Amino acid sequence: MIDKIKGHIAEVESFNAKTKDEIEAFRIKYLGKKGILNDFFSEFKNVPNEQKKEFGQVINELKTTAQAKVNSLKDELDKNQEEKGVYGDLSRPAEPVEIGSRHPISIVKNQIIEIFSNIGFNVSEGPEMEDDWHNFTALNLPEYHPARDMQDTFFIQTNPDILLRTHTSSVQVRYMENNKPPIRTISPGRVFRNEAISARSHCIFHQVEGLYIDKDVSFADLKQTILYFTKQLFGKSKIRLRPSYFPFTEPSAEVDVYWGLETETDYRITKGTGWLEIMGCGMVDPNVLKNCGIDPKEYSGFAFGMGIERIAMLLYQIEDIRMFYENDLRFLEQFKSAL
Ligand code: DAH
């Protein structure tokens, strides 16, 4: 008889049920008034004395196992029903959900932010509508300075003091006016120039400005920072700095990255040289530091500025800058997989 009970224990342990009725039938079979357990209990008096102890133990084990089984099956059933209540039928085929995508300008902007934030740069912003001081004068471009012509400016109505910023360098000025060195900041944003729209240029575009001010900052720091950036963004580790001119930096340089000459596209976009210009940079002119309330005898620093469209066009091989602003879903949908 003891073996028989043990057989029942094994059966109970391996039992499984999916519906309420099945569980109830199981409960009645074992634990009901006329169930198996009660049958065994009523046999108890007929068991020889020397076996009573062991018989008692196994019959109790059968009882607790059966009860535990019934409870756990009920719990499981309740849980499944709760989930179904909230989520519906989890096994049904999914509905096709239309997911959106980030704009390629945002994707590239976020990548640039990520790369610089990894080396301690924060993100700062300034207004798109600027005054003459922040966009020009503080940046060493006084009135009548010929370099103002480099950037065809949109003015607001007839007030020549208020304009749409022509570059994000204006944010440098604002940042230095409001923060003490050490400064490490990048400033992404929209800029405006009164230029004819073509495949290569637009009157609205985006830039990222970078600014690093501290004690003893050198041109070597600038070059190393830019090299780190080009490695991270393009996976290219050869750059060159060509002497150039910007009123707000001295010395100034333009940065070329070695793109290579492996494909026909490489030949075309680099005009057969393998080199591509990606940004302007330089050591912040002492006059600019002074204009922003920073002592050039104590501090030095570098700045750089790049166009986001240009970089996005390189990374995604986009031929026409106008694509960015036309909101053509056939174009935008191609960026779904990017973050
Ligand atoms: N502001 C320049 C432009 O719009 C780009 C630039 C060049 C920014 C050199 C800088 C810099 O900070 O150092 O063309």
Side-chain angles (χ1 to χ4, degrees):
M1 183 132 50
I2 286 173
D3 286 343
K4 212 168 145 192
I5 301 174
K6 285 186 175 162
H8 279 298
I9 293 176
E11 199 179 304
V12 167
E13 277 171 346
S14 63
F15 177 75
N16 204 355
K18 291 240 155 25
T19 67
K20 226 176 171 173
D21 290 347
E22 276 171 15
I23 299 171
E24 183 59 10
F26 172 81
R27 191 191 65 78
I28 291 169
K29 179 177 166 195
Y30 279 94
L31 302 162
K33 253 193 191 139
K34 292 179 184 163
I36 292 172
L37 257 160
N38 275 347
D39 284 351
F40 283 123
F41 276 125
S42 51
E43 291 285 329
F44 193 71
K45 55 185 185 297
N46 304 326
V47 175
N49 272 347
E50 66 276 14
Q51 283 182 20
K52 271 201 160 69
K53 188 175 165 204
E54 196 188 349
F55 183 86
Q57 278 169 351
V58 285
I59 193 94
N60 270 329
E61 191 185 337
L62 177 60
K63 187 179 172 187
T64 48
T65 319
Q67 262 165 354
K69 187 60 146 192
V70 169
N71 291 342
S72 79
L73 286 173
K74 276 187 177 164
D75 284 352
E76 205 166 305
L77 195 72
D78 285 350
K79 208 176 100 207
N80 284 345
Q81 268 171 352
E82 264 170 37
E83 279 176 8
K84 269 200 182 144
V86 177
Y87 302 114
D89 177 3
L90 291 178
S91 62
R92 79 186 195 286
E95 291 197 5
V97 180
E98 270 296 319
I99 54 161
S101 54
R102 274 195 209 287
H103 193 281
I105 297 293
S106 298
I107 297 169
V108 173
K109 180 185 81 178
N110 290 344
Q111 278 175 344
I112 297 171
I113 290 175
E114 165 98 21
I115 292 170
F116 280 105
S117 68
N118 284 342
I119 53 169
F121 282 71
N122 67 8
V123 176
S124 51
E125 284 183 60
E128 292 177 353
M129 217 192 277
E130 257 306 356
D131 51 36
D132 182 280
W133 169 257
H134 292 97
N135 196 77
F136 289 127
T137 307
L139 287 163
N140 217 16
L141 275 146
E143 213 187 338
Y144 305 120
H145 191 291
R148 282 196 181 200
D149 296 343
M150 282 159 68
Q151 305 179 348
D152 296 311
T153 309
F154 284 118
F155 292 93
I156 305 293
Q157 292 185 336
T158 50
N159 184 348
D161 191 48
I162 307 293
L163 44 91
L164 294 178
R165 66 179 177 197
T166 59
H167 52 185
T168 43
S169 302
S170 55
V171 188
Q172 280 191 33
V173 178
R174 289 187 176 271
Y175 200 86
M176 284 190 274
E177 284 172 343
N178 294 310
N179 296 276
K180 294 214 167 339
I183 289 171
R184 280 183 225 126
T185 190
I186 55 167
S187 324
R190 203 157 28 165
V191 301
F192 308 84
R193 290 191 198 172
N194 190 1
E195 273 178 34
I197 296 172
S198 71
R200 298 260 109 210
S201 69
H202 210 284
C203 56
I204 302 178
F205 56 103
H206 298 77
Q207 290 186 330
V208 177
E209 187 80 10
L211 180 68
Y212 188 120
I213 309 283
D214 204 343
K215 289 183 176 153
D216 301 322
V217 181
S218 73
F219 201 88
D221 297 320
L222 165 61
K223 187 168 182 188
Q224 204 57 35
T225 305
I226 289 171
L227 182 60
Y228 156 80
F229 169 72
T230 53
K231 276 186 192 167
Q232 296 286 313
L233 189 66
F234 303 112
K236 311 268 182 194
S237 48
K238 205 158 122 187
I239 59 169
R240 70 179 182 196
L241 275 71
R242 271 181 298 108
S244 183
Y245 171 74
F246 299 100
F248 27 88
T249 43
E250 181 58 37
S252 305
E254 258 154 315
V255 180
D256 297 342
V257 55
Y258 189 70
W259 202 255
L261 282 174
E262 274 153 38
T263 66
E264 249 180 69
T265 313
D266 292 348
Y267 266 90
R268 187 169 45 77
I269 61 175
T270 68
K271 300 195 180 88
T273 65
W275 292 96
L276 269 179
E277 186 196 317
I278 53 156
M279 67 167 95
C281 66
M283 302 306 290
V284 179
D285 192 298
N287 284 337
V288 175
L289 295 175
K290 239 184 278 168
N291 288 340
C292 303
I294 291 177
D295 182 358
K297 288 198 204 74
E298 198 177 348
Y299 292 103
S300 58
F302 61 77
F304 53 86
M306 64 190 115
I308 303 183
E309 278 80 355
R310 181 168 167 74
I311 289 178
M313 286 167 86
L314 290 173
L315 286 175
Y316 293 115
Q317 314 223 332
I318 297 165
E319 306 270 304
D320 190 324
I321 196 170
R322 290 170 291 199
M323 298 298 290
F324 291 119
Y325 317 109
E326 277 167 3
N327 286 335
D328 185 335
L329 286 179
R330 291 168 301 179
F331 171 70
L332 297 173
E333 275 175 350
Q334 296 177 54
F335 300 92
K336 269 193 181 152
S337 59
L339 285 175

